[in-house]
Amino acid sequence: MSGEQILEVRAASKSFRRPNGDPLMVLDQVDLTLRENELVGLLGRSGSGKSTLLRLIAGLSKPNGGSVEYLGQTVVGPPQGIAMVFQSFALFPWLTILDNVEIGLEAMGVAPAEMRSRALRAIDMIGLDGYESAFPRELSGGMRQRVGFARAVVMHPNILLMDEPFSALDVLTAETLRTDFLDLWSEGQLPIKAAILVTHNIEEAVQMCDRILLFASNPGKIMLELKIDLPHPRNRQDPAFRALVERIYVAMTARPGAAAARGEKVPGFQISSILPRVSTNLLAGMTEEVAKEPYRGHADLPEIAERLQLEIDELFPVAETLQMLRLAELEGGDIRLTEAGKHFAESDVAGKKRIFAQNLIAHLPLAAHIRHVLDERPNHEAPRSRFSEELEDHMTPEAAEMTLRTVINWGRFAEVFAYDDDGQRFTLENPS
């Protein structure tokens, strides 16, 4: 049962400055409450502002608008009673496991005897008894992350913030650590009152959380709040569990999929849009997987994700790129190949290149823009800087680099233009 409210985020917004000075909105009017005995999940794609919100709650950053209140007080810096577990293990390699766990207590001025007692209890509770004198280099990734948990819970925080704590681990290790954490949480052995989990793993969120806040991107905002009433331990094959997973997939694909299904232009893809790192091999592999039995061109995204062992940050960029290029449509948590997508899946390499080239120029403005510039110039060449500077007016240099690298790879595969990396120039040298 949930208890008293201990955290409230009201209309929190956060923006950063683009290179051209314009604001880049990362979080937009986000509300969140947290009560005792709750484990709340923040679920969404990378870049949807989940970790930014966690930093606001931890007092590591300040909102541009709205407020964060912990125990009735506005958070203006890191408050006592809130601890965080990070995706990276963030351990001091020159310290033993015991020293790593004690270091936060030492900074708080806890007496040596109590510090040692609490650290040993935390190490034992988290399953690392016997490793007190070991160094991080001697431990596996899963064991190092256990140290991260021990270092957080030894502080006896009211709120434990977890920023994708299992994502750097292999599948089996992550599942073991999740299960152990849930056992300790359900049995009341963890000295914490509530927790917030940031994740982009849909099944992880449904398995662990009491409530899920689903984030949309650009800017980050809450598009759905979902209460999970299933008792622990939760069975992933339970129809009720699968129904919740399906509902989240439906919510994440509803709007762009519906537009594509009606033949409308999917919004957001402009010359200045950030392109994901998706290889043509992944695009071809996905269409071929959906085209074959038992799907025959129409597949359930959760089933495809489970079959191919893909999380949403891996699955959705591929599926959305196929939609952007009109090789597939997304709707209701499903992916359906278009006629062009079916031909693409069934074609040989030459056929795939021809279909990809047609759809790339027709539906990706940046690729069409590059090709148009090359066609118009007498020497059919253009420096990379011609396009990178244009993109950097709308995005960070890192995003511009990723976008250009992606369109270069796609353009090379389609043979609609060539690129000389040594000379940093686009050309029409290879296309016929």
Side-chain angles (χ1 to χ4, degrees):
M1 293 291 292
S2 299
E4 294 183 4
Q5 180 174 298
I6 56 177
L7 178 76
E8 183 174 18
V9 179
R10 297 177 185 167
S13 298
K14 182 67 178 179
S15 63
F16 300 95
R17 287 289 174 188
R18 298 179 188 267
N20 65 359
D22 293 337
L24 172 64
M25 185 68 74
V26 178
L27 282 178
D28 184 22
Q29 299 285 311
V30 171
D31 296 319
L32 178 151
T33 59
L34 182 68
R35 295 182 176 276
E36 292 182 3
N37 305 317
E38 272 195 318
L39 201 168
V40 173
L42 311 183
L43 174 64
R45 297 270 295 275
S46 292
S48 59
K50 308 181 304 297
S51 294
T52 299
L53 178 57
L54 221 61
R55 291 178 63 84
L56 297 183
I57 294 170
L60 301 175
S61 182
K62 295 181 180 180
N64 299 112
S67 64
V68 178
E69 292 189 359
Y70 165 63
L71 296 179
Q73 300 294 317
T74 300
V75 173
V76 294
Q80 284 196 7
I82 297 182
M84 186 179 291
V85 178
F86 298 93
Q87 176 182 351
S88 60
F89 309 125
L91 304 180
F92 296 106
W94 59 88
L95 298 181
T96 65
I97 301 313
L98 179 60
D99 292 336
N100 265 285
V101 174
E102 288 182 338
I103 195 164
L105 297 176
E106 183 178 356
M108 290 175 57
V110 176
E114 182 185 355
M115 181 170 64
R116 180 60 51 92
S117 175
R118 283 169 61 171
L120 290 174
R121 283 200 304 271
I123 288 172
D124 183 32
M125 176 182 62
I126 214 69
L128 287 172
D129 198 19
Y131 289 90
E132 294 85 353
S133 61
F135 288 91
R137 65 176 181 272
E138 301 178 72
L139 305 183
S140 66
M143 294 176 75
R144 277 180 280 175
Q145 191 59 302
R146 288 178 185 271
V147 179
F149 274 104
R151 190 169 60 182
V153 301
V154 76
M155 308 296 290
H156 295 182
N158 289 318
I159 301 174
L160 179 65
L161 306 177
M162 298 180 284
D163 192 2
E164 299 185 33
F166 312 108
S167 62
L169 306 175
D170 63 82
V171 174
L172 293 178
T173 301
E175 185 63 22
T176 298
L177 193 49
R178 271 194 294 266
T179 301
D180 288 350
F181 177 87
L182 284 172
D183 288 344
L184 293 170
W185 170 258
S186 300
E187 295 166 5
Q189 295 188 43
L190 292 174
I192 60 178
K193 293 183 178 179
I196 299 176
L197 170 70
V198 164
T199 180
H200 55 249
N201 184 317
I202 293 176
E203 294 205 358
E204 177 177 278
V206 176
Q207 180 186 6
M208 297 187 67
C209 300
D210 303 305
R211 279 191 297 132
I212 296 173
L213 305 181
L214 180 60
F215 277 65
S217 302
N218 302 317
K221 60 176 62 179
I222 296 171
M223 60 186 292
L224 175 68
E225 180 171 339
L226 193 60
K227 187 171 177 60
I228 311 296
D229 290 322
L230 302 178
H232 288 287
R234 294 171 182 168
N235 180 1
R236 294 188 183 213
Q237 303 309 314
D238 182 349
F241 188 103
R242 303 312 308 170
L244 287 166
V245 171
E246 178 74 19
R247 182 177 176 186
I248 293 171
Y249 273 95
V250 168
M252 296 185 75
T253 59
R255 289 183 294 176
R262 293 191 299 269
E264 300 172 5
K265 183 177 180 180
V266 177
F269 294 110
Q270 304 170 1
I271 290 177
S272 58
S273 295
I274 299 173
L275 298 179
R277 291 179 184 268
V278 175
S279 73
T280 53
N281 285 335
L282 283 174
L283 297 174
M286 178 68 80
T287 59
E288 290 166 8
E289 183 69 26
V290 176
K292 68 184 183 183
E293 297 288 347
Y295 307 118
R296 292 185 292 180
H298 183 191
D300 183 54
L301 278 174
E303 186 176 339
I304 285 287
E306 185 174 9
R307 180 170 180 147
L308 300 180
Q309 291 292 297
L310 296 175
E311 294 186 355
I312 59 175
D313 269 358
E314 300 165 309
L315 174 70
F316 273 81
V318 177
E320 289 170 352
T321 298
L322 291 173
Q323 176 175 260
M324 175 182 65
L325 297 175
R326 303 302 190 273
L327 298 174
E329 297 167 352
L330 303 180
E331 186 174 16
D334 293 352
I335 180 170
R336 184 193 303 271
L337 296 183
T338 62
E339 287 304 312
K342 292 176 183 177
H343 291 314
F344 181 76
E346 296 163 358
S347 297
D348 58 14
V349 173
K352 279 183 167 62
K353 283 176 173 284
R354 183 176 62 256
I355 295 168
F356 196 82
Q358 293 170 350
N359 286 40
L360 187 69
I361 294 299
H363 303 299
L364 185 63
L366 177 58
H369 176 55
I370 293 173
R371 180 59 190 250
H372 176 73
V373 169
L374 297 177
D375 284 336
E376 289 292 308
R377 293 193 170 192
N379 64 352
H380 304 303
E381 294 185 2
R384 179 193 181 99
S385 58
R386 163 69 174 78
F387 306 105
S388 63
E389 290 172 2
E390 191 172 12
L391 291 176
E392 287 177 19
D393 286 339
H394 304 278
M395 62 185 73
T396 65
E398 294 76 17
E401 169 65 25
M402 180 178 70
T403 295
L404 269 183
R405 182 53 58 187
T406 296
V407 81
I408 286 168
N409 290 335
W410 293 353
R412 281 170 165 169
F413 174 77
E415 299 184 39
V416 297
F417 49 72
Y419 179 72
D420 175 13
D421 196 53
D422 288 335
Q424 298 278 288
R425 299 185 69 80
F426 289 86
T427 72
L428 292 183
E429 177 183 350
N430 291 338
S432 57

